[in-house]
């Protein structure tokens, strides 16, 4: 038979064991939350901010896309690396497109002045803008070949003819 004293020791030991297990469970839970926050939540928040920055850049809401600053070797780090590489590619493509469009604007300004022997020189990997460049250059080539390289010379001839001076010759 178990004595009363032995039952109290056994009860006290059981209580201590339960309290120890509860404290251990609390410590494990807190550590899990800290580790989860450090290795999962924070990188995910950075990844989300990076993607939102990229979308704002693509939607012309900002002038630059921020890189995702995650150096881990896990899946989140690999995704961040892939997004950062694509940010570089997108920036390069947008810069090429802007260069072509600025060159088109330059050519159009000169054509408005009557100088038809202009060509768009800048290039891009964007097939639509490359097609626009080719069409514009072909059109300018045909006009300058079939009409004149400088409409100013034609205008001078027309002005001379308007004054009834028919001695002016168009080269």
């Amino acid at each position: 038979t178990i004595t009363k004293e032995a039952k109290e020791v056994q009860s006290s030991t059981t209580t201590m064991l339960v309290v120890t297990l509860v404290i251990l469970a609390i410590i494990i839970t807190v550590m899990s939350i800290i580790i989860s926050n450090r290795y999962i939540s924070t990188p995910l928040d950075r990844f989300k901010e990076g993607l939102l920055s990229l979308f704002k850049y693509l939607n012309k809401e900002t002038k630059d896309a921020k890189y995702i600053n995650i150096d881990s070797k896990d899946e989140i780090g690999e995704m961040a690396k892939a997004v950062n590489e694509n940010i570089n590619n997108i920036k390069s493509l947008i810069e090429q497109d802007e260069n072509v469009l600025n060159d088109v604007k330059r050519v159009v300004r000169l054509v408005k002045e009557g100088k038809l022997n202009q060509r768009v020189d800048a290039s891009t990997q964007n097939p639509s803008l490359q097609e626009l460049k080719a069409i514009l250059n072909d059109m300018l080539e045909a006009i300058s070949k079939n009409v004149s390289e400088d409409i100013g010379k034609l205008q001078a001839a027309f002005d001379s003819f308007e004054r009834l001076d028919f001695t002016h010759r168009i080269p």
Side-chain angles (χ1 to χ4, degrees):
T1 68
I2 299 179
T3 65
K4 185 177 181 181
E5 201 174 278
K7 284 183 180 181
E8 285 179 11
V9 169
Q10 185 181 14
S11 175
S12 174
T13 304
T14 304
T15 304
M16 284 295 280
L17 183 60
V18 168
V19 169
T20 303
L21 288 174
V22 168
I23 291 173
L24 187 60
I26 290 172
I27 290 172
I28 290 173
T29 303
V30 168
M31 293 298 288
S32 296
I33 291 171
I34 291 171
I35 289 171
S36 170
N37 188 40
R38 183 172 181 187
Y39 293 104
I40 297 173
S41 296
T42 301
L44 281 177
D45 287 341
R46 285 186 190 157
F47 189 79
K48 180 180 96 175
E49 289 172 14
L51 278 180
L52 292 175
S53 171
L54 174 60
F55 294 144
K56 285 180 180 179
Y57 175 69
L58 290 173
N59 291 322
K60 307 288 186 196
E61 295 173 26
T62 60
K63 299 254 184 219
D64 196 23
K66 296 177 186 170
Y67 292 102
I68 300 173
N69 189 16
I70 300 175
D71 295 328
S72 63
K73 303 295 181 201
D74 60 4
E75 290 82 2
I76 296 172
E78 291 298 316
M79 289 187 309
K81 182 180 175 186
V83 170
N84 287 341
E85 289 170 359
N86 279 287
I87 287 173
N88 280 336
N89 292 339
I90 290 167
K91 282 182 175 182
S92 175
L93 293 172
I94 288 174
E95 185 177 302
Q96 289 175 14
D97 291 355
E98 287 175 353
N99 288 340
V100 168
L101 292 173
N102 287 333
D103 203 17
V104 167
K105 290 175 190 176
R106 174 192 64 81
V107 167
V108 168
R109 275 193 303 274
L110 291 169
V111 168
K112 280 172 47 177
E113 294 173 8
K115 300 172 183 163
L116 299 178
N117 61 342
Q118 304 302 311
R119 299 297 175 267
V120 178
D121 298 319
S123 292
T124 181
Q125 292 177 15
N126 181 329
S128 297
L129 287 180
Q130 278 299 108
E131 182 181 10
L132 174 65
K133 170 189 168 181
I135 290 169
L136 185 59
N137 284 342
D138 289 347
M139 178 188 72
L140 290 170
E141 178 71 29
I143 291 173
S144 64
K145 180 179 175 185
N146 295 327
V147 178
S148 175
E149 288 184 356
D150 188 353
I151 291 185
K153 294 176 183 177
L154 291 175
Q155 188 61 47
F158 292 142
D159 291 343
S160 177
F161 296 165
E162 187 176 32
R163 291 188 308 274
L164 301 177
D165 175 10
F166 297 107
T167 61
H168 186 83
R169 297 288 175 243
I170 300 172

